[in-house]
Amino acid sequence: MSKNNKLEISKKNTSVKKATKKGATVLGRKRDPNLDETIMESTLDILAEKGFDSMTMDMVAARAKSGKATLYRRWPSKPELVRDALIFMSKSSVDIDHLPDSGNLKEDLLAVVKPYSSEHGHRKIRVLSGLGSFFTEHQKIADEAMSGIFSPWTNVNRTLMQRAISRGELSKKANIDLACEIIEAMTAYKTNFRRTMFTKSDYGKILEQIILPALKA
Amino acid sequence: MSKNNKLEISKKNTSVKKATKKGATVLGRKRDPNLDETIMESTLDILAEKGFDSMTMDMVAARAKSGKATLYRRWPSKPELVRDALIFMSKSSVDIDHLPDSGNLKEDLLAVVKPYSSEHGHRKIRVLSGLGSFFTEHQKIADEAMSGIFSPWTNVNRTLMQRAISRGELSKKANIDLACEIIEAMTAYKTNFRRTMFTKSDYGKILEQIILPALKA
DNA sequence: TAATTACGAGACTTTCAAGTTCCGGAACTA
DNA sequence: TAGTTCCGGAACTTGAAAGTCTCGTAATTA
């Protein structure tokens, strides 16, 4: 599962073929493997600047120094490109491979969150806050993007909390899922409604004053 | 300021005239004064269902059993209609003078919920969540509407919690503002991102298992 | 070299909604 | 009654953007 760190996201069926021979090598020029990432970065840039509805495929193609046909060769539609770009964006915010285990839950939860570069953190907010109609008009695809963004993060949190229960730091009947959901909700709310950065310090305050006291009671 | 409770919002210059005579009575059929409100209610309904970008003027006209020409006779453009509809929506404020006071915070908080969450509170949130590009293009106006909509709700919760502190039900150093923000966030998150009804039972669970234990610690 | 596929660029088609204009009829005033 | 303005409904114009197609060129393999 983790042997390939590449993207593996789009894979739109381009060469339909007969698929008769199994190991037949494909002729012709190969797809530029770096182009996927370039296109998604361009997508995120435009999303941050314009929002979902004002973003046009022509803009993305121009920013990526590519052609619109190339976009549609790799993604079937605009919403699906945006979905993958969002998932791509969120991959860089949680360090899933090196879970901390300090013996203190608050420290662990905070340690998992990568410090944003102010540049990328800012872009992230603007991307998320310009997504309004994406959610309402393409609900199914948007849901895929949402779970792609949140589920890795929530899974990490759940694991860390589970450990804290095992070592007696939390009450055995603590409602972990609800706590994870609240963290998720605050993140979405802060960025989408308040349009402010959800900082590590904000996060710490919520853990300290609400989540942790509740889970210990 | 408060002598006239009517709308006084649009007033698009229809009869340009020469304005020579000052008190000249206007000829012809009068504008239906109730129609403004009907149109705005329709606008809010469509906004809640479709979001700003997918809302068309034709839909609004149809819902209001009116014609598109009538809309444009009263508002110069779609964004300006939406702006006035948002202002109109935020005017329906909270009856802060008749708050429950049962001596039990959870009961009070739940008792207050009913009037908002049933229909209009839910619609408010959906309207806001679908504002998309309207928000980014008319940020100033939208920000005003935002605080106008959320603050009365939060103020009620804050008052109820304050009383609970006074009678010793909560810790004196409980972070009330943060708790209010979490409630706000969960409401927005559940309805907007999860697209599920935020039921009274959900609310009760959060109060019981997270908010209240935290505020008592 | 010849066949094949991806590439960038741009023209093209299609769809959809904002905003305009026109119509017959209704309400109002002088 | 005659003139005026609003009404709802619909046809119309205009513009923008999604998605398709074509073409000349570059990369890859047999």
Side-chain angles (χ1 to χ4, degrees), chain B residues 27-51:
Chain B
L27 288 186
R29 180 175 174 173
K30 302 289 184 285
R31 280 194 188 170
D32 182 350
N34 300 324
L35 202 48
D36 269 336
E37 189 162 338
T38 304
I39 291 171
M40 292 205 218
E41 281 291 347
S42 305
T43 303
L44 293 173
D45 284 344
I46 309 284
L47 276 179
E49 287 171 20
K50 305 279 186 175

Side-chain angles (χ1 to χ4, degrees), chain A:
Chain A
M1 181 63 90
S2 62
K3 66 173 178 180
N4 188 356
N5 210 5
K6 286 291 177 183
L7 291 174
E8 287 197 74
I9 289 184
S10 51
K11 292 194 243 168
K12 183 179 174 183
N13 245 1
T14 77
S15 52
V16 183
K17 284 185 172 177
K18 292 229 178 153
T20 41
K21 285 193 174 177
K22 24 183 179 172
T25 49
V26 190
L27 289 186
R29 179 176 176 172
K30 302 287 185 285
R31 281 193 188 172
D32 181 350
N34 300 324
L35 202 48
D36 269 335
E37 189 161 339
T38 304
I39 291 171
M40 292 205 222
E41 283 291 346
S42 304
T43 303
L44 293 174
D45 284 343
I46 309 285
L47 276 178
E49 287 172 20
K50 306 279 187 175
F52 176 78
D53 7 79
S54 299
M55 179 195 103
T56 71
M57 297 299 263
D58 287 290
M59 289 178 194
V60 175
R63 177 72 59 107
K65 293 186 209 307
S66 175
K68 219 173 13 162
T70 303
L71 300 190
Y72 283 100
R73 202 176 291 119
R74 292 163 185 247
W75 285 275
S77 72
K78 172 182 172 181
E80 273 153 303
L81 166 62
V82 169
R83 175 201 58 198
D84 289 354
L86 291 175
I87 294 173
F88 170 74
M89 175 178 77
S90 71
K91 279 199 175 150
S92 55
S93 54
V94 179
D95 196 350
I96 222 168
D97 297 321
H98 309 88
L99 285 186
D101 197 353
S102 68
N104 176 283
L105 179 56
K106 185 188 166 192
E107 273 182 35
D108 287 352
L109 288 172
L110 283 172
V112 166
V113 181
K114 275 188 188 171
Y116 307 99
S117 71
S118 61
E119 191 184 328
H120 265 64
H122 189 246
R123 188 181 72 167
K124 206 171 176 179
I125 289 168
R126 302 199 48 167
V127 167
L128 290 174
S129 65
L131 246 38
S133 63
F134 176 64
F135 286 117
T136 58
E137 283 177 61
H138 309 280
Q139 206 182 323
K140 197 176 172 186
I141 297 175
D143 280 346
E144 291 168 9
M146 280 294 284
S147 64
I149 290 168
F150 280 120
S151 70
W153 197 41
T154 302
N155 286 338
V156 168
N157 288 345
R158 209 191 318 270
T159 302
L160 295 177
M161 290 183 189
Q162 208 63 260
R163 284 187 194 158
I165 291 185
S166 301
R167 65 175 177 261
E169 192 181 349
L170 296 185
S171 158
K172 282 211 188 305
K173 50 186 171 55
N175 191 335
I176 284 182
D177 291 324
L178 190 54
C180 287
E181 204 175 23
I182 285 180
I183 293 171
E184 213 173 300
M186 281 303 287
T187 312
Y189 170 78
K190 281 275 197 178
T191 55
N192 239 295
F193 284 87
R194 288 291 214 225
R195 290 165 187 270
T196 59
M197 173 86 91
F198 186 53
T199 66
K200 221 163 172 172
S201 136
D202 290 333
Y203 187 25
K205 219 174 279 178
I206 289 170
L207 291 177
E208 194 173 285
Q209 300 185 11
I210 306 284
I211 305 282
L212 295 178
L215 295 180
K216 286 174 182 172

Side-chain angles (χ1 to χ4, degrees), chain B residues 122-182:
Chain B
H122 190 247
R123 191 181 69 167
K124 271 186 186 179
I125 288 163
R126 300 202 52 159
V127 166
L128 290 176
S129 71
L131 249 34
S133 64
F134 175 76
F135 209 101
T136 57
E137 285 168 39
H138 307 84
Q139 225 179 28
K140 199 175 171 185
I141 301 166
D143 278 343
E144 291 167 8
M146 276 293 281
S147 64
I149 287 156
F150 275 116
S151 68
W153 206 76
T154 303
N155 284 340
V156 168
N157 289 344
R158 206 195 319 273
T159 302
L160 295 177
M161 291 184 189
Q162 207 67 259
R163 285 187 193 159
I165 290 186
S166 301
R167 65 174 177 261
E169 192 181 349
L170 298 185
S171 157
K172 284 210 187 305
K173 50 186 172 51
N175 191 334
I176 285 182
D177 290 324
L178 191 54
C180 288
E181 204 175 24
I182 285 180

